[in-house]
Amino acid sequence: MSGIYIHIPFCKQACHYCDFHFSTSMKKKDDMVLVLAKEIGMRKNEFSNEIVETIYFGGGTPSVLSNEEINFLISEVYKHYKVIENPEITLEANPDDLSAERILELSKSPINRLSIGIQSFYEDDLKMMNRAHNSAEAKKCLEEATKYFDNISLDLIYGIPGLSDEMWRQNIQTALDFGIPHISSYALTVEPKTALSKLIQTGKIAEPQDDVASNHFMILVEMLQKNGFIHYELSNFGKENYFSKNNSAYWLGKKYIGIGPSAHSYDGEKRGWNIANNSLYIKAIQNDELPIETETLTVSDRYNEYIMTGLRTIWGVSLERIEKEFGLEYLNYLQKQSQKFLKDDLLSIENNILKPTPKGKFLTDGIASDLFYLEK
């Protein structure tokens, strides 16, 4: 099974922390929709032997598209690809785009999963992050969305300066009170060249603290697990049967095609990425050219990716698979490098599967980098 990701590179305004590719100008939106549809058709041969299981609209803010535009792009996927009977079709959306009328319309479309960018239920947090919605809109959209959609995910950000442990608990509890079955939660990260980075440098916003983020993460894990959520990936929690099929496919190394500017693709051996420039992307597709760069992954690249994704998920890293797929040299290297983390109770091995312990979960990315195989 495979997936198709469609990148919608438009936002009403720029969130201070975001370093994804997007434009706040909607001038090229009509042209963009047409070339996205064209790229979908141009790349059909890449999936001639594949069946599409998931379609995911990411961004940017995909909910800035009209329902007609979204349905048009979905129909283009069906026109050119083999699609399973009930695919997971996700739309990332912001609360300010999800009026009661819009939600009702979406519920009648092929979209069957909403991923809503709440981030926080506190007004001060939303203003600091320069979100386009307010707290009342966040709650109202969830109130309406849960009437029509069963499969909903929401995003929450922790480690925000000034967000106390009690406030963070209340953020999580508010999400739980709406009966949401999936939560994605990330630490506030200061990316270079973002507005947040400049605001911190000029002293207008305090720098996020690692110990605060670590504590918030522990609270998150504890509260969600007590409420029946499975911590199936470092930043993702889902009730049974509500894991994101799209994201799980990435972590399990399945194939996917990324449509749109800056979108990434993976076929098991090669990784590709489209140009991150709306004008150049549109021009190339209009000229029947795919503006994509590719790289063939080495054995070490594939090993490192498996270590990174495996340690982040409940499926862990299979030592048997390491030996079978990468060879004894890589297995011996992994066993040697992991010794200090096993000794410090940050990693454990059970049934030949290497996983982070509860103590090691928040440190997963750093641990993974120490287990990477570096070419000599």
Side-chain angles (χ1 to χ4, degrees), residues 30 42 47 61 79 94-95 112 117 129 139 165 167 175 219-220 237 247 257 261 273 299 341 370:
D30 292 348
M42 288 170 72
F47 268 16
T61 310
K79 185 193 296 184
N94 278 346
N112 52 31
M129 293 186 280
K139 292 172 182 174
D165 288 356
M167 291 168 71
I219 291 169
L220 176 73
F237 303 76
N247 293 349
I257 290 177
W273 54 95
V299 175
F341 300 111
D370 276 1

Side-chain angles (χ1 to χ4, degrees), residues 117 134 195 359:
N134 58 40
K359 182 179 167 185

